[in-house]
Amino acid sequence: MVKEEKEIANRPDNTAFTQQRLPAWQPMLSAGIVIPGFVLIGLAFIGIGVALFVTSRSITVLEIDYTGIEKDSACFKCSNADVKNCVCNLVFSIDSLFEGPVFFYYGLSNYFQNYRKYAASRDDEQLSGDLDAFTAPSDSCSPYDYNSNDKPIVPCGAIANSMFNDTFVLYRVVNGANKLVPLDGKGIAWWTDYNVKFRNPSVTPLKNAFNNTVKPIFWPKPAYQLDASDPANNGFINQDFLVWMRRAALPDFRKLYRRITDGEYAKGLPAGNYSLTIAYNYPVESFDGRKKVVFSNVSWMGGKNEFLGIAYLVVGSLCVLMSIVMLIVYAKFKFPEED
Amino acid sequence: MEGFESGLTWEVRANDRKHHKQMKSFLCFRWGRYADNLVRSYKYSPLTFLPLMLFEQFQRAAYLYFLLMVVMQSVPDISSVPFYITILPLLIVLSVRGLKDLANDMARRRSDSEINSRPCDVLDSQSFNRAQWKDVCVGDVLRIHKDQVIPADLLILCSSEPHSLCYVETADIDGECNLKFRQALSATHNQLTSHPSEETLAAFDGVVLCEEPNNRLYTFRGQMHWRGESLLLDNEHILLRGTVLRNTDFAYGLTIYTGADSKVLRNCGKLRVKRTRMERVFNQVVIGIVLSMLLAALLLAIGAGVFSSWVMSHIGPTSALVINGNPVYTGFLIFWSYIILLSPAMPIALYISFEVIHMVHSLFIGWDMEMYWQQANRPAQARNTSLNEELGQVGYLLSDKTGTLTQNRLLFRQCCIAGEVYGDASSKAEDTEPMDLSWNPFSCGEAPVYQAASPDEEALVGAARELGWVFLSRTRDVIVVSELGVTREYRLLALLDFTSHRRRMSVLVREPEGGLKLYCKGADLVILERLQKDCLHQERTERALELFSQACLRTLCVAVRSVPEASWEQWSKTLDQSATMVTSDRDALLEKLYDQMEIDLQLIGVTAIEDRLQEGVPETIALLQQAGLKVWVLTGDKKETAVNIGYSCKLLDPDTRLLEWQELKQILQSPDPGVTFFKARQTELWAVDKQAAEAKTALVLTGPELAEFDQKPEWGATFMRLAEQCQSVLCCRVTPGQKADIVSLVRKHTRSITMSIGDGANDVNMIKTAHVGVGLAGVEGGQAVQNADFALSQFRFLQRLLLVHGRWSYRRISFFLRYFLFKTCGFALVHIWFGFFNGFSAQSLYETWFIALYSLFYTAVPVMCLAFFEQDVNAESSLKWPELYRSGQRQELSSPLILISSLLYAVYSSLVFFFIPFGVFHNTAYDLQTMAVTVAMAATFTANAEISLVTRYWTRLNVAAVCVSVVLFFICSRITQSTRLFKASPMDYFFLGASERAFIDPLVWLTALLTTWTAVLPSMTTLAINVILNMHDKHKVHSASSQPVELRSRLTRGASLRRSSYALSQGAGAGRLISSGTCIRSTVLTVDEQVTADNNSLTHSSRSTRRTTLMHQITHE
C-alpha cells in the first residue's frame, strides 16, 4: 500500500487548472458580428455626439477680453503696468434673456499654472493652519518663503503670491442708471478644499495669527483682509483664494468668480445694457497673457463644450465609415470563395 | 622516447595522498594542482550569494537604470515623482529573482551532493573502506564492483577476470551499447593478481606520468614507472568516469584524473546562462525605448530652457516660475526630471512578470498528466524556467540516438532460411523444422562473455536458445552447444575477425563428425557477392531482405561453406606465418587470407533484428516534421545503425536519397554548391512532386568527416544551406564535443532556435550548447537531465512539449510582451505631449499613486491571466494541426517589427490620451486634478479594453481579473484621494477630493469613454479586418489540415535499398583476444547460470510481447 502510494506520488493532479482545461468562453467573431457591431457603436457615438452638440449649442456664453492690448479696448489705459489702482469700465449688452443661473468666470490664457515648480511652491502645513509653519515656512516655498527682511511670508510660495487680484462689479444699466447686480461668491470652491485641505489657524481674531509675518509680495492686502465684507471669508478659506489655489489643467483656463443667483437675477440676466467695473491690478502683458471675463450658463454636461460633441460625431462617423469599408472587403473576399 | 615523454607532466603517485593533497582553500575559494572529486554545479555559497546575486542581476541594464531612477528621485531638485514609486517594484523584482536563484542553486547543490555521495571503495592502508565519491583523491586505489559507475578516470591495475580484462559499458559517453574491453598492463596484472589482496595493492608505488587533463575521450598517453621499469600506457588501460563496469566482478584501478579533471567533465562544456531570443529582442526594444526617452527628455529639456529664458525676460507674477537665473541649468534639471517622469515607459514590472509567467508555464509543464511517465513515476520537468517560449519556435531538433530514439534493446524479429520467411504472423518460428540455426552460436563468436559484446548478438543467441539451440559453454578451442537436447562439441579452428572495412566475420569449426565448416555472417552486400554461383534460394532471400528492410529491421546474412581439408591445411600454414610479421604488413595479408577463405559460400539465410524504438518515436518525428522542424540525429554510434534507425523512425523515407561525404564534399568544393546540389538531386527525376524530391534527400556524415569542417570554416554556411533543403542530417561517430560543434554550426548559420535532446553524459555538451536542451530521464546516469533545461521521460512527450506547451507559451508571451509595451508606453508618453502645455516643467499628469498602482493593480492581473491561460486552440487541435507551429518558427508574433508596431500604437494611444481630454478641458474651469483623473480613467479603461481584445480564451479568472482591475481603479482612487489619508500625509495624498467630484461628472465619463474608444480603435479595426479576412483563411487551414495523402513511393530501387547494418563498432572486433584465449574463462558455465544471466538482460522481458507486436507491425506494413 505504501509502495503504491509512493509510486504515484509524483503524478500530477488531474484538475482543470493544472491540465489547462479550465472552462472558458471563446468568442467566435465573424463578419456577421463585427460589421454590425461597428455600425452600432458608430451610431451610438453619433447619437451621443448629436446630444452633446445640441446641448452645447443651447448654452449661452458671453466672453469679453479686457486685457487692453488693443487701443480701442476699454482697459487700454490700464494695460500699462506703471498705472496703479487703475479701474476700467466694460460696457456690453445682452439681446435676450441670459438664462440663469449665470456663472461669472475670469479667464487667463498663456498662463502656466500647471508649471511644476510653481505648483510645488507652497506649504501645505501652513495652509492647513499650522502655526509653526507660519514662523518657519517650508523650503518648497523658496524664494517666496521669507521677504528681504527675513520675515516669513504667509501664505508662502509662488502660487499664493501670484493670486489673481482683479475685482469686478457688475451693473445693469437701467435708464442710464447703474443698478448693482448682486454676485454670489459663496461655495464657488471645492467642498474638500474649503473644509479639509485649507484651514485657518484657530486663533481669534485671525489677524493675531499673522503676527510677525508679512503678506505675499504681490498682494495688496494681507490674507486676513481678503474679504472686507464677510469676516468669515478671510484667511486661507477665502473662496477666491481657494479657487486660485486649485491649479488649472492647461495654460488657457477659466476660474469661477461669482454666481448670479440672487432674487431677480435667479432666472438669468435680462436683456439690456450692462457695465462691468474692473479693478485692473493683475499684469499679464509681460507674458503675452490675456484676461477675460466670461458669463455662461450650464447644462447637465457643465459649461459649453463643442469639442466633445464634434469629437463624438467624428469618431462615430469614422466607425460607420469603417464598417462600410469592411463590408466591401468582406464582399470581395466572400464572393470569390463561392465561385 | 624523449619525444613521447614531452608533455607528460601530470604526475600521479599511487597510494600517496599527501603528494596530491596539496590543496589549499580559503573561504569558498580553492586552488591546487589536483582537483578533488567533487562535482560543483552550484554557483553560490552563503557568503557569496548576496554580492554575486546582486552583481548578476544588475548586469541587466534595466535594473541599473531603475536603480539610477531611485537615486535621482531622491534628489529634490529633479524629483518629478517620489522615489518610493520606483523603489518598491525594484525591491520586489530583486528579491523574487534572488529567491528563485537561491532555490535553483539549492536544487543544484542537492543533485551535486547526490552524485558526490555515491559510495565507492577506496584503499586506505591495507583495506578497502567504503567512502564517497567526493573523497576520492588522485593516486587512490579504488575497487570497482560489477555494475558500478566508475567515479573517476582510473588506470586499471588488475581485475577479477583472466588477464585482468574489464568490460565497460560506455553508453553514457559515446552512445554505443556494445561492451568495450579494457585491460591492465601485464606487469601490474602479473604482480598484483597473484596476491589479490589489499596488501600488495597498498604496497603498490608506481608513478604515472601522463598528459594534463583534457577532453579527448578516445586517447590517452602516459607512462608508468614501477620497479625500475617504464611502461607505456594508452587508452586501453583507462576506465573513464561515467562508464559502467560490466561482467567483471572486481576491478582495481589507480585514480588518475578526478572531478573536474576527468575526461567526461572536461567534455561537458561550460555552464552558460541561456537567454531566450525573445528576451534579446525585447532587450533591444528596451534599449530603443531608453534611447527614445533620452532623446525626448533632451528635446523637452531644451524646450524647458527656452521657456525659462522666455519667462525670465518678463516680470510679474509668473516670474515666480523661474527657479534660478540660468536657463541652461534649468534645462539640465528638467532633463533628469523628464527621465524620471518617462521611466514608467521602461517596464520594470515586465521583468518580474516575465519571471512569474515563465515559472507558471514551467509548472504547467510539470503538471501535465500527458507527460507523466507512469512506469518511472516521473513527470516532465522544466529545470530552466526561463526558456518556455523558445519551445514554440524550435526550428532544429538535434537528437541523440541511443536511449533517446531507441530503447536500446534489440529483438530477433524475423528470419529467412532457405528462402522461407519465418517469424511473421502466419507461421510461428517455433514450428519451423530444425533449420540449420546452429550457425548461430558460432557466428556469435563472442558470446562467451555471458553477456554478448553486441546487443545484436545477444538477441540472436537468445532467440536461438529459445528455439532449442542452447549455447552451453566454450573454452578457448571448444564450443559446446545443445542442439534440441543433443550436446555437440565443435572445435574452433580460426576466427576471421570483423573489421569495419570487411563488414563480416567468420568462424572455422570442426564439426563433431569431423567435417570442416566455415560460417560467415555479415552485411548483405558483402555476403551476397561471395556466394556460389547459382546459389539456392538467392532470389527469394533477396526478396526477403527487401521485405525486412522495408520493415526497418537490421538484417544480417549468414552463409556457410564446407572447407576441404587440404585447403584448410595450406591456409592455416600461411596464417601461422603471418603471426610473426610486422603489424602493418600482417593486417593486409590477413585480409587477403580471409578473402581467400570466404568464397563460394552457400547462403543459409537472413536474420532480421529490430532495434526497438521508444514508444511513439516515428509518430513524433513525423508530427514534428509536419510542424516544420528539421530533425537531425547525432550519435556516437556507427553509421549503419544510425541510418537504420533513421529509416525505422521514419526520419528517412524508404526512397530518401542518402548523400554521403564524398558527394557532399564535391558539392561543397564546387564553385556553385546550390546548383550542384540541385543537379545531384536531379537524379531523382522519378519523383513526381518536385517539392517532395527536394525534401527527400538526407545527409549522412561521420565524425572524422565533420572534423574537416574545422579546417574549412567557409563550408559551414554552404553546408547549412544544403542541409536546410534536406529532409534530415545524420551524424555518426561523433564525439560529445562534435555534437556541440554541430549545434553551434546550426546556431551560427541559421536564425532558427535549436533544441538538443539526449539522455547520456555524451549529450551534455550539446544540450548545453543548444538554445534549448532536453534531457531524457533514462535508465541510468541522469547527467543529461542535470544539465538540461527540460527533462522528459519519453521522446514522444516532445510532441506535447513543443506543439502544445511551447506553442502556447510562445503565443502567450508574445501577446504579453506586445500588450505590456503598449500599456506602459501609452500611459507614460502622455507626459511628452503634456510638456508642451506646461512649460516643459516635467509636471506629471497623473497622481503619483496612480503611476505606481497602474502597473500593479489596474492592469497587471488581466495580462497575467492572459499569459497563464490563453489558448487559441486546445491541446488536441494543436497536435492535430502541427502546421500551426510554424508561426512560431517564423516568429510571426514576436518579430521586432511587431514590437515596434505596438510601440507606435502606444504612441498613438498616448496622443489620444492627452489630446482628447485637452480638447475638452481647454479653456474651461476644470482643474488639473480633474483632468488627471480623467486621463487616468481613460488609460485604465483602454488598458483593460485592449486586453479584452487580445484575450480569446475567457476563463472565469480572466473575466474576474478585468472586472476587478477596473473596480480597483475606482476604489483605490477614492482611497488615495480620501480625507483620512490626506490628513495623514498631505504631501503624498494631495489629490484630495478630485475623484470624488470627477466620478460623478458626466463630462469626465464621456471624455474617458471617447478617449478609450478612440485609443483602441486601431486595435479594434485590426481585429475586425482579421476576422473578415481570416474567414477565408480558416476554411483553408481546416481543409488543408485534413491528413494529406501520403505520396510514398513504393518503388524499389535494387540493392541500394537494402540496409544491412552488420557492424559491431567502428573498431576491430575482439576476435584477436578470443582466439588467443585471453578472455575465455577457464570455467565452464552451467546452463542455469547462463539463463540467469540472460534473465537480467533486457531482451527477456519483452519476449512475451514480441509476437503480438510483430503481428501488429506486419499488418501495419
Side-chain angles (χ1 to χ4, degrees):
Chain A
M1 189 63 195
V2 174
K3 199 188 169 204
E4 235 170 64
E5 265 172 29
K6 202 186 160 198
E7 260 169 20
I8 57 161
N10 293 334
R11 189 219 296 264
D13 294 338
N14 189 5
T15 64
F17 176 71
T18 56
Q19 301 310 308
Q20 305 197 60
R21 290 180 191 284
L22 285 176
W25 173 59
Q26 285 177 279
M28 288 305 291
L29 291 176
S30 67
I33 298 170
V34 168
I35 297 173
F38 257 79
V39 174
L40 279 180
I41 294 174
L43 290 179
F45 270 62
I46 291 173
I48 298 174
V50 168
L52 283 171
F53 192 71
V54 169
T55 315
S56 185
R57 273 294 159 99
S58 70
I59 296 171
T60 324
V61 174
L62 178 67
E63 188 175 304
I64 306 160
D65 190 312
Y66 71 95
T67 320
I69 306 290
E70 296 83 13
K71 287 207 168 121
D72 54 345
S73 169
C75 293
F76 176 67
K77 56 174 180 179
C78 298
S79 61
N80 188 340
D82 298 333
V83 184
K84 300 286 174 198
N85 298 324
C86 178
V87 174
C88 57
N89 261 317
L90 208 63
V91 179
F92 61 93
S93 65
I94 293 170
D95 299 336
S96 57
L97 174 73
F98 200 118
E99 273 185 51
V102 177
F103 286 70
F104 179 9
Y105 303 89
Y106 62 88
L108 287 170
S109 59
N110 209 19
Y111 191 101
F112 289 82
Q113 235 199 342
N114 55 11
Y115 197 87
R116 181 166 59 92
K117 280 291 168 185
Y118 174 80
S121 183
R122 63 195 273 164
D123 183 349
D124 282 307
E125 302 280 314
Q126 199 183 63
L127 293 173
S128 64
D130 186 347
L131 281 173
D132 294 338
F134 273 53
T135 47
S138 151
D139 287 345
S140 60
C141 284
S142 170
Y144 301 100
D145 43 359
Y146 295 95
N147 74 353
S148 47
N149 298 327
D150 248 6
K151 289 253 181 171
I153 300 173
V154 178
C156 73
I159 182 161
N161 185 46
S162 61
M163 184 180 161
F164 187 76
N165 53 9
D166 284 3
T167 53
F168 309 92
V169 183
L170 182 65
Y171 299 100
R172 184 173 168 210
V173 185
V174 186
N175 304 324
N178 280 355
K179 190 181 167 195
L180 185 74
V181 178
L183 301 175
D184 176 13
K186 285 206 171 65
I188 56 171
W190 284 24
W191 186 90
T192 41
D193 288 351
Y194 184 75
N195 292 294
V196 184
K197 215 168 183 176
F198 295 84
R199 304 306 306 150
N200 277 329
S202 45
V203 176
T204 40
L206 186 59
K207 183 177 180 296
N208 293 348
F210 289 81
N211 287 339
N212 289 322
T213 65
V214 292
K215 64 179 173 58
I217 297 157
F218 291 153
W219 284 23
K221 288 177 283 188
Y224 51 87
Q225 287 172 0
L226 281 175
D227 190 350
S229 59
D230 180 3
N233 192 23
N234 271 312
F236 300 146
I237 56 167
N238 174 273
Q239 295 281 338
D240 290 324
F241 179 65
L242 292 178
V243 169
W244 180 255
M245 292 302 279
R246 185 147 283 280
R247 295 191 297 140
L250 297 160
D252 292 357
F253 61 87
R254 296 171 186 172
K255 281 183 186 289
L256 188 55
Y257 184 67
R258 294 291 182 263
R259 271 188 297 233
I260 303 169
T261 52
D262 272 1
E264 56 182 309
Y265 300 101
K267 286 203 173 127
L269 293 174
N273 290 328
Y274 291 86
S275 161
L276 186 68
T277 306
I278 302 163
Y280 195 114
N281 301 318
Y282 205 71
V284 292
E285 194 198 7
S286 60
F287 52 88
D288 301 333
R290 311 288 285 188
K291 299 198 283 191
K292 56 203 169 204
V293 285
V294 182
F295 296 94
S296 170
N297 49 21
V298 294
S299 68
W300 59 270
M301 61 173 281
K304 194 178 183 73
N305 203 323
E306 296 207 328
F307 174 84
L308 195 59
I310 292 169
Y312 263 95
L313 286 174
V314 168
V315 173
S317 319
L318 198 67
C319 289
V320 174
L321 195 75
M322 250 167 347
S323 60
I324 294 169
V325 173
M326 280 178 216
L327 199 66
I328 294 168
V329 172
Y330 175 62
K332 273 211 165 179
F333 268 87
K334 198 184 173 183
F335 293 119
E337 201 184 352
E338 282 178 355
D339 285 343
Chain B
M1 221 45 192
E2 271 307 303
F4 184 79
E5 261 179 57
S6 67
L8 303 183
T9 48
W10 187 261
E11 191 184 5
V12 178
R13 296 186 186 176
N15 292 317
D16 187 359
R17 273 207 169 192
K18 246 184 238 157
H19 173 73
H20 306 289
K21 272 244 168 147
Q22 294 160 353
M23 168 89 63
K24 298 175 182 73
S25 79
F26 175 73
L27 294 176
C28 46
F29 305 101
R30 284 182 190 78
W31 61 93
R33 183 159 156 75
Y34 300 98
D36 51 14
N37 206 26
L38 272 170
V39 179
R40 288 186 194 84
S41 54
Y42 58 85
K43 281 192 292 191
Y44 305 124
S45 73
L47 205 75
T48 57
F49 172 68
L50 207 63
L52 216 62
M53 188 269 290
L54 286 177
F55 174 71
E56 270 188 17
Q57 298 218 17
F58 280 108
Q59 279 180 329
R60 284 166 191 258
Y63 291 8
L64 268 184
Y65 178 86
F66 282 105
L67 192 68
L68 196 71
M69 283 302 116
V70 173
V71 172
M72 282 182 356
Q73 280 166 356
S74 354
V75 178
D77 263 350
I78 56 175
S79 167
S80 44
V81 285
F83 71 96
Y84 48 77
I85 301 298
T86 307
I87 200 166
L88 276 178
L90 185 65
L91 281 181
I92 295 173
V93 169
L94 286 178
S95 49
V96 168
R97 270 202 99 101
L99 284 179
K100 197 189 116 186
D101 266 15
L102 190 67
N104 281 349
D105 211 50
M106 298 294 262
R108 272 194 294 268
R109 262 177 190 275
R110 266 198 300 280
S111 74
D112 282 353
S113 80
E114 191 263 318
I115 291 176
N116 289 334
S117 60
R118 285 187 195 166
C120 68
D121 290 343
V122 179
L123 183 67
D124 179 22
S125 59
Q126 315 296 321
S127 68
F128 279 101
N129 290 333
R130 172 83 15 143
Q132 296 183 333
W133 277 30
K134 63 180 173 206
D135 304 325
V136 173
C137 174
V138 172
D140 284 354
V141 173
L142 302 186
R143 179 170 64 186
I144 310 294
H145 300 263
K146 189 172 155 188
D147 298 336
Q148 190 188 338
V149 183
I150 291 160
D153 292 353
L154 306 178
L155 169 72
I156 309 168
L157 297 176
C158 57
S159 82
S160 56
E161 301 300 296
H163 303 268
S164 281
L165 270 179
C166 290
Y167 296 92
V168 286
E169 191 184 289
T170 55
D172 231 16
I173 288 186
D174 60 11
E176 280 190 1
C177 37
N178 53 317
L179 296 182
K180 308 265 169 30
F181 60 86
R182 298 280 182 265
Q183 199 172 10
L185 284 171
S186 49
T188 57
H189 167 68
N190 294 335
Q191 301 293 329
L192 299 171
T193 330
S194 45
H195 316 281
S197 68
E198 284 79 359
E199 278 166 43
T200 40
L201 284 169
F204 175 65
D205 59 350
V207 174
V208 173
L209 283 175
C210 59
E211 307 170 290
E212 289 291 310
N214 57 56
N215 64 354
R216 296 185 289 274
L217 285 176
Y218 303 118
T219 62
F220 177 80
R221 293 192 310 133
Q223 281 182 320
M224 186 164 80
H225 300 280
W226 187 40
R227 299 190 177 169
E229 273 182 287
S230 174
L231 306 154
L232 285 187
L233 301 174
D234 66 18
N235 198 31
E236 295 281 287
H237 307 113
I238 300 296
L239 295 177
L240 294 181
R241 179 183 170 126
T243 56
V244 183
L245 192 70
R246 297 283 189 209
N247 301 336
T248 312
D249 290 333
F250 288 111
Y252 300 97
L254 170 67
T255 313
I256 305 282
Y257 303 128
T258 50
D261 292 334
S262 63
K263 292 192 180 247
V264 180
L265 290 181
R266 286 265 162 166
N267 247 300
C268 271
K270 278 196 194 100
L271 185 77
R272 62 174 95 190
V273 181
K274 289 182 180 177
R275 293 245 174 102
T276 65
R277 178 189 294 168
M278 192 100 81
E279 216 179 325
R280 279 199 305 269
V281 170
F282 176 69
N283 277 339
Q284 285 165 8
V285 171
V286 165
I287 290 170
I289 293 177
V290 170
L291 291 180
S292 323
M293 292 301 112
L294 290 178
L295 187 70
L298 186 70
L299 294 177
L300 290 165
I302 292 171
V306 172
F307 182 81
S308 99
S309 70
W310 172 75
V311 170
M312 246 191 1
S313 65
H314 306 292
I315 42 161
T318 43
S319 62
L321 305 188
V322 180
I323 302 150
N324 55 65
N326 189 347
V328 176
Y329 183 61
T330 307
F332 173 77
L333 291 182
I334 291 287
F335 173 74
W336 297 109
S337 300
Y338 264 113
I339 285 183
I340 295 170
L341 198 60
L342 295 175
S343 69
M346 263 276 298
I348 191 174
L350 189 129
Y351 287 89
I352 186 71
S353 314
F354 225 57
E355 299 269 310
V356 174
I357 292 167
H358 274 140
M359 195 92 89
V360 170
H361 286 187
S362 304
L363 286 176
F364 276 136
I365 288 174
W367 283 337
D368 194 338
M369 295 272 288
E370 310 269 320
M371 296 205 290
Y372 168 71
W373 182 235
Q374 180 102 45
Q375 292 178 19
N377 183 28
R378 201 181 285 134
Q381 189 191 4
R383 298 175 53 85
N384 184 338
T385 55
S386 58
L387 296 176
N388 303 65
E389 78 268 14
E390 302 252 287
L391 291 176
Q393 299 166 274
V394 176
Y396 282 84
L397 174 68
L398 300 111
S399 171
D400 174 42
K401 181 191 73 72
T402 318
T404 306
L405 298 176
T406 65
Q407 288 180 339
N408 212 359
R409 61 167 89 162
L410 297 173
L411 285 181
F412 182 63
R413 273 271 175 252
Q414 274 178 303
C415 63
C416 168
I417 297 162
E420 290 289 326
V421 177
Y422 300 95
D424 61 18
S426 53
S427 63
K428 290 181 181 174
E430 279 84 347
D431 298 342
T432 58
E433 278 309 292
M435 297 308 304
D436 202 356
L437 265 172
S438 55
W439 43 265
N440 225 333
F442 310 112
S443 39
C444 308
E446 284 145 57
V449 248
Y450 38 81
Q451 202 170 346
S454 146
D456 294 64
E457 287 166 2
E458 188 183 310
L460 280 173
V461 177
R465 184 186 58 234
E466 214 175 61
L467 299 181
W469 274 265
V470 185
F471 178 85
L472 291 179
S473 69
R474 74 167 287 178
T475 55
R476 179 173 171 171
D477 302 328
V478 182
I479 299 168
V480 185
V481 180
S482 155
E483 297 180 13
L484 297 173
V486 185
T487 309
R488 284 158 65 94
E489 223 179 70
Y490 294 83
R491 286 192 71 78
L492 179 70
L493 299 180
L495 193 127
L496 288 59
D497 200 8
F498 171 87
T499 65
S500 59
H501 180 240
R502 277 161 43 82
R503 295 168 73 197
R504 63 181 184 273
M505 71 179 289
S506 310
V507 281
L508 195 61
V509 292
R510 189 178 291 282
E511 292 178 306
E513 292 79 15
L516 277 173
K517 279 258 170 88
L518 175 92
Y519 289 94
C520 180
K521 64 170 181 177
D524 50 5
L525 281 179
V526 197
I527 301 290
L528 289 177
E529 72 187 10
R530 282 185 170 66
L531 293 183
Q532 281 178 328
K533 285 206 183 78
D534 314 319
C535 182
L536 275 168
H537 323 302
Q538 185 170 357
E539 212 172 297
R540 289 168 69 190
T541 309
E542 282 190 37
R543 266 209 306 281
L545 268 173
E546 269 161 32
L547 195 74
F548 294 159
S549 55
Q550 269 174 14
C552 297
L553 301 170
R554 287 162 88 154
T555 54
L556 186 64
C557 275
V558 184
V560 68
R561 175 190 174 203
S562 297
V563 184
E565 200 71 37
S567 82
W568 150 246
E569 268 169 27
Q570 197 197 344
W571 188 82
S572 69
K573 225 176 268 170
T574 334
L575 189 68
D576 288 343
Q577 284 166 7
S578 74
T580 57
M581 293 172 72
V582 195
T583 324
S584 56
D585 293 347
R586 197 184 63 190
D587 285 349
L589 182 73
L590 274 180
E591 193 161 312
K592 226 165 89 190
L593 266 176
Y594 290 169
D595 258 359
Q596 285 170 9
M597 185 50 84
E598 293 160 330
I599 46 162
D600 289 339
L601 300 173
Q602 245 182 333
L603 190 63
I604 300 175
V606 180
T607 63
I609 287 176
E610 188 188 17
D611 190 355
R612 248 207 152 167
L613 292 176
Q614 283 201 10
E615 210 177 316
V617 166
E619 293 83 353
T620 306
I621 287 180
L623 199 70
L624 294 182
Q625 284 184 336
Q626 274 182 56
L629 272 93
K630 296 268 177 204
V631 184
W632 291 19
V633 172
L634 314 180
T635 176
D637 214 341
K638 52 218 169 274
K639 183 153 69 182
E640 289 79 2
T641 321
V643 170
N644 220 314
I645 291 299
Y647 282 108
S648 57
C649 64
K650 302 281 190 286
L651 188 62
L652 311 173
D653 292 328
D655 48 7
T656 300
R657 203 175 109 80
L658 297 183
L659 205 60
E660 298 201 16
W661 176 244
Q662 288 309 323
E663 218 172 330
L664 179 70
K665 198 169 165 185
Q666 281 172 10
I667 294 173
L668 288 175
Q669 282 168 340
S670 68
D672 194 348
V675 173
T676 324
F677 181 59
F678 184 72
K679 275 189 189 151
R681 280 201 317 241
Q682 289 287 302
T683 52
E684 314 290 306
L685 270 178
W686 49 269
V688 191
D689 195 342
K690 198 178 156 221
Q691 274 208 314
E694 269 183 26
K696 294 212 166 174
T697 311
L699 299 177
V700 182
L701 301 172
T702 64
E705 293 159 2
L706 276 166
E708 291 189 36
F709 274 97
D710 293 342
Q711 282 113 50
K712 300 256 187 182
E714 72 274 10
W715 282 0
T718 323
F719 170 73
M720 279 312 299
R721 265 210 306 284
L722 299 184
E724 250 166 68
Q725 298 174 41
C726 289
Q727 194 178 13
S728 177
V729 174
L730 301 178
C731 300
C732 327
R733 288 306 294 175
V734 286
T735 61
Q738 274 179 321
K739 285 186 177 185
D741 291 344
I742 295 166
V743 178
S744 310
L745 187 77
V746 178
R747 281 187 73 145
K748 193 173 155 198
H749 295 292
T750 67
R751 291 179 41 76
S752 299
I753 300 287
T754 54
M755 173 188 256
S756 296
I757 178 166
D759 71 322
N762 58 334
D763 306 314
V764 167
N765 207 337
M766 87 171 170
I767 283 174
K768 282 181 174 175
T769 312
H771 289 102
V772 186
V774 178
L776 281 193
V779 185
E780 57 186 305
Q783 285 240 41
V785 170
Q786 293 300 327
N787 292 285
D789 304 309
F790 296 92
L792 297 180
S793 303
Q794 290 281 295
F795 184 79
R796 69 188 146 95
F797 292 162
L798 265 188
Q799 290 178 27
R800 257 188 104 77
L801 187 70
L802 293 175
L803 299 190
V804 179
H805 290 280
R807 208 178 74 83
W808 279 348
S809 274
Y810 172 68
R811 289 182 65 85
R812 289 166 182 174
I813 288 173
S814 306
F815 286 139
F816 164 78
L817 260 186
R818 280 161 56 181
Y819 173 75
F820 216 97
L821 282 181
F822 165 75
K823 74 156 185 163
T824 51
C825 288
F827 127 100
L829 295 188
V830 169
H831 290 127
I832 296 179
W833 321 128
F834 187 42
F836 288 92
F837 298 94
N838 62 24
F840 309 99
S841 61
Q843 168 66 42
S844 166
L845 186 52
Y846 302 115
E847 185 194 2
T848 43
W849 288 104
F850 175 75
I851 295 176
L853 297 179
Y854 175 80
S855 44
L856 207 63
F857 286 166
Y858 308 155
T859 57
V861 186
V863 73
M864 293 307 260
C865 281
L866 172 93
F868 294 159
F869 304 124
E870 181 64 12
Q871 309 180 1
D872 54 338
V873 294
N874 60 19
E876 288 71 33
S877 305
S878 300
L879 292 171
K880 205 168 161 194
W881 296 308
E883 296 81 5
L884 293 173
Y885 189 78
R886 289 173 193 252
S887 76
Q889 290 162 338
R890 290 194 292 260
Q891 298 176 37
E892 280 174 8
L893 300 173
S894 60
S895 63
L897 210 68
I898 293 271
L899 291 181
I900 286 169
S901 72
S902 45
L903 281 181
L904 289 179
Y905 180 30
V907 172
Y908 162 82
S909 66
S910 72
L911 283 167
V912 171
F913 287 160
F914 180 71
F915 282 101
I916 287 185
F918 172 80
V920 174
F921 293 117
H922 174 73
N923 204 8
T924 63
Y926 284 98
D927 72 312
L928 180 60
Q929 295 189 346
T930 309
M931 179 165 171
V933 173
T934 313
V935 176
M937 197 157 139
T940 310
F941 284 174
T942 305
N944 283 292
E946 176 68 20
I947 197 75
S948 308
L949 290 179
V950 179
T951 307
R952 318 290 308 146
Y953 190 81
W954 286 91
T955 65
R956 271 177 221 158
L957 289 165
N958 290 73
V959 178
V962 171
C963 296
V964 166
S965 297
V966 174
V967 170
L968 267 182
F969 166 72
F970 291 105
I971 294 175
C972 293
S973 297
R974 288 303 300 273
I975 290 174
T976 58
Q977 299 169 18
S978 68
T979 308
R980 186 181 293 253
L981 283 178
F982 174 82
K983 283 190 169 157
S985 172
M987 285 296 279
D988 294 327
Y989 303 95
F990 57 91
F991 258 56
L992 172 68
S995 56
E996 193 182 331
R997 285 173 70 98
F999 288 163
I1000 53 166
D1001 190 333
L1003 192 82
V1004 167
W1005 279 91
L1006 285 171
T1007 309
L1009 183 68
L1010 179 71
T1011 310
T1012 305
W1013 175 254
T1014 315
V1016 296
L1017 200 56
S1019 170
M1020 202 69 134
T1021 314
T1022 317
L1023 179 77
I1025 287 176
N1026 269 337
V1027 166
I1028 289 164
L1029 296 186
N1030 280 346
M1031 298 281 286
H1032 192 58
D1033 281 355
K1034 244 179 213 164
H1035 285 282
K1036 262 201 298 196
V1037 167
H1038 283 243
S1039 59
S1041 57
S1042 60
Q1043 283 294 315
V1045 185
E1046 195 151 337
L1047 295 167
R1048 256 180 75 184
S1049 166
R1050 283 279 164 199
L1051 191 67
T1052 49
R1053 294 184 298 122
S1056 67
L1057 185 61
R1058 278 189 234 123
R1059 297 179 299 274
S1060 180
S1061 68
Y1062 176 56
L1064 274 173
S1065 139
Q1066 209 68 4
R1072 179 178 58 84
L1073 282 171
I1074 293 168
S1075 44
S1076 66
T1078 334
C1079 68
I1080 310 293
R1081 287 170 163 266
S1082 42
T1083 51
V1084 176
L1085 288 171
T1086 65
V1087 181
D1088 281 349
E1089 252 181 286
Q1090 232 179 0
V1091 171
T1092 331
D1094 220 292
N1095 272 342
N1096 297 335
S1097 76
L1098 294 162
T1099 330
H1100 190 79
S1101 57
S1102 56
R1103 201 168 292 136
S1104 52
T1105 59
R1106 169 171 40 152
R1107 203 155 299 114
T1108 45
T1109 328
L1110 181 66
M1111 216 182 303
H1112 178 74
Q1113 192 181 7
I1114 284 164
T1115 42
H1116 209 74
E1117 287 296 317

